[in-house]
Amino acid sequence: MPEPEAQDPAAQQGPVRLATRANAVAITRASLGFIVVAILYTSRELYLGAFFLTLIAIWMDGLDGWVARRFSEVSRIGAAIDILTDRIVEMTYWIAFATLGWIPIWVPIVVVVRGLLVDGARAVAFEQGFTAFGASSMMRTALGRLLVSSRASRFAYGLAKALAFSLMILAFTSALAPPVRELLLAAALVCVYASVALCIIRGVPVLVEVRRLL
């Protein structure tokens, strides 16, 4: 049986607050993703700057969670905004890379479809008082928690995406010698395919476990 919503600590924090420091960090991170893509379509001479902005956006991925805990802004809506921001950032990069011809078009298609299915399942769970991660996570089986909610799983997926995004941009900077570019591009593609594999692996348990909430 699902736990009553009243048992969720995040639900007891009073009115929903959207204008929080943590949400501001999340929105800034999404904005950086848009700026990076604009640079990629503007000038190859600025790609190194796009690389460093990507590193900042990656660092901010963990910053919003720290800010939420530091200033007691943890809530279910905040967790949902964090996931939504992750989707915006990763889709922005994947689609840009595909339209630039850097990665196959099926990569963003697979990630988008997986994201829609998983977010739909999480929306069902959210209505019943559950979150994607944390004490009120919708994941109840040990395998589901390991593959989806565990720190190791989230770290591995985040690291794969971080390396894919940053190395891909760095591989196309104008100052690199061809052998170095080829090496970086090969490493970036490995990280791209690893990201897609982890994306699918982490999505399947969510779709399996949401059945008990339907």
Side-chain angles (χ1 to χ4, degrees), residues 21-140:
R21 298 174 181 85
N23 290 345
V25 172
I27 293 172
T28 301
R29 180 159 58 93
S31 300
L32 287 179
F34 297 146
I35 293 173
V36 167
V37 170
I39 291 175
L40 297 182
Y41 282 93
T42 301
S43 173
R44 192 168 179 178
E45 302 299 324
L46 300 176
Y47 277 17
L48 192 58
F51 167 74
F52 285 113
L53 287 178
T54 297
L55 294 182
I56 294 173
I58 292 168
W59 170 71
M60 292 180 72
D61 187 18
L63 179 63
D64 56 359
W66 179 87
V67 170
R69 293 187 296 272
R70 173 66 177 79
F71 295 98
S72 301
E73 296 174 348
V74 177
S75 65
R76 290 202 309 274
I77 189 66
I81 291 175
D82 182 46
I83 293 175
L84 177 61
T85 304
D86 288 342
R87 293 284 186 270
I88 292 173
V89 172
E90 67 178 335
M91 287 300 98
T92 298
Y93 277 89
W94 290 136
I95 293 173
F97 289 172
T99 56
L100 288 168
W102 296 357
I103 61 174
I105 189 62
W106 62 262
V107 170
I109 292 176
V110 169
V111 177
V112 166
V113 171
R114 179 269 191 190
L116 290 172
L117 292 174
V118 168
D119 290 346
R122 285 174 172 166
V124 172
F126 185 84
E127 291 179 352
Q128 299 187 35
F130 295 99
T131 57
F133 311 111
S136 57
S137 171
M138 65 178 288
M139 309 307 297
R140 286 294 179 262

Side-chain angles (χ1 to χ4, degrees), residues 3 18 35 51 53 156 161 181:
E3 298 177 1
L18 296 179
I35 293 173
F51 167 74
L53 287 178
K161 289 190 296 181
R181 179 178 296 111

